């Protein structure tokens, strides 16, 4: 693997887009080390740190990203061009703008994880922040209802999730 900290500095981004992908990308690569995938989809990609780190480490050949934020998509495209990565990036509300012709061997994601963070919680201000909050898991429900038509027969999904009823979340 390349030096992650040096590589990370080459990926286009802005602080308000970081929902934790910078922390989790090395963990995804470690879990998938030694495996090879043709087409990987990063759901709720933001600047696509996870998927691009998989590309950098030859875990995948092509990356497809989807994110609702246009700024994220612009960053993904700039980084892909800079690194000459094979990336197709879509501005999409969940899967709504992902072409039906896309088929994935692997899906990775660090989606919004808090399903109902309360205003009274010490992090309650995050309730309206799209990075951590998926109120009533609406995004999740729609994603899991529709992802099947994009998966190749032997595809796998590696999604970072939290236990929705826990009061504390810890990263190991």
């Amino acid at each position: 693997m390349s030096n992650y900290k040096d590589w990370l500095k080459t990926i286009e981004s802005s602080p308000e887009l970081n929902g934790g992908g910078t922390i989790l990308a090395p963990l995804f690569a470690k879990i998938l080390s030694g495996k090879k995938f043709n087409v990987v989809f990063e759901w709720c990609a933001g600047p696509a740190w996870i998927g691009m780190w998989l590309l950098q480490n030859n875990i995948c050949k092509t990356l497809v990203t989807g994110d609702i934020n246009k700024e994220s998509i612009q960053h993904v495209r700039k980084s892909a061009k800079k690194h000459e990565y094979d990336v197709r990036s879509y501005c999409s509300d969940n899967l709504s703008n992902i072409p039906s012709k896309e088929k994935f061997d692997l899906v990775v994601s660090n989606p919004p994880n808090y399903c109902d963070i309360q205003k009274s919680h010490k992090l309650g201000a995050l309730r309206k922040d799209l990075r951590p909050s998926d109120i009533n898991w609406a995004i999740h429900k729609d994603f899991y209802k529709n992802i099947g038509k994009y998966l190749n027969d032997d595809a796998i999904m590696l999604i970072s999730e939290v236990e929705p009823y826990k009061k504390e979340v810890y990263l190991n």
Side-chain angles (χ1 to χ4, degrees):
M1 285 189 196
S2 302
N3 180 303
Y4 181 68
K5 288 183 180 182
D6 290 339
W7 172 86
L8 192 58
K9 295 174 191 172
T10 71
I11 300 302
E12 299 288 327
S13 182
S14 55
E16 67 275 4
L17 297 176
N18 193 345
T22 55
I23 296 168
L24 295 172
L27 297 173
F28 276 81
K30 182 179 179 181
I31 291 167
L32 296 167
S33 179
K35 295 177 175 50
K36 300 283 183 193
F37 301 91
N38 285 322
V39 181
V40 172
F41 176 61
E42 186 172 354
W43 169 50
C44 299
W49 293 292
I50 296 168
M52 289 204 201
W53 187 236
L54 298 180
L55 282 167
Q56 180 68 23
N57 287 283
N58 298 311
I59 293 171
C60 66
K61 179 180 163 189
T62 300
L63 174 65
V64 176
T65 72
D67 197 278
I68 195 168
N69 189 318
K70 291 178 186 176
E71 184 181 351
S72 291
I73 302 308
Q74 292 168 352
H75 286 307
V76 168
R77 290 177 179 160
K78 287 178 188 175
S79 296
K81 185 175 182 179
K82 182 190 306 183
H83 285 276
E84 299 180 353
Y85 291 149
D86 183 6
V87 177
R88 294 186 297 277
S89 191
Y90 300 98
C91 189
S92 184
D93 183 355
N94 226 342
L95 297 166
S96 64
N97 292 334
I98 307 298
S100 59
K101 68 179 180 175
E102 293 285 8
K103 300 295 180 210
F104 312 126
D105 302 304
L106 170 68
V107 176
V108 295
S109 184
N110 177 40
N113 283 303
Y114 288 109
C115 69
D116 199 18
I117 192 168
Q118 301 299 305
K119 292 176 187 174
S120 60
H121 187 278
K122 65 182 178 181
L123 298 175
L126 295 176
R127 184 175 176 85
K128 294 189 180 192
D129 185 332
L130 190 58
R131 291 171 300 165
S133 290
D134 181 6
I135 304 300
N136 296 321
W137 273 39
I139 298 167
H140 283 76
K141 289 174 188 173
D142 182 63
F143 173 78
Y144 287 113
K145 178 181 173 185
N146 292 295
I147 189 62
K149 64 186 169 191
Y150 295 96
L151 301 177
N152 287 322
D153 288 342
D154 58 350
I156 63 171
M157 296 196 313
L158 186 58
I159 311 294
S160 170
E161 298 286 12
V162 299
E163 293 181 70
Y165 299 105
K166 293 286 184 178
K167 292 184 183 209
E168 301 292 331
V169 176
Y170 300 97
L171 293 174
N172 290 328

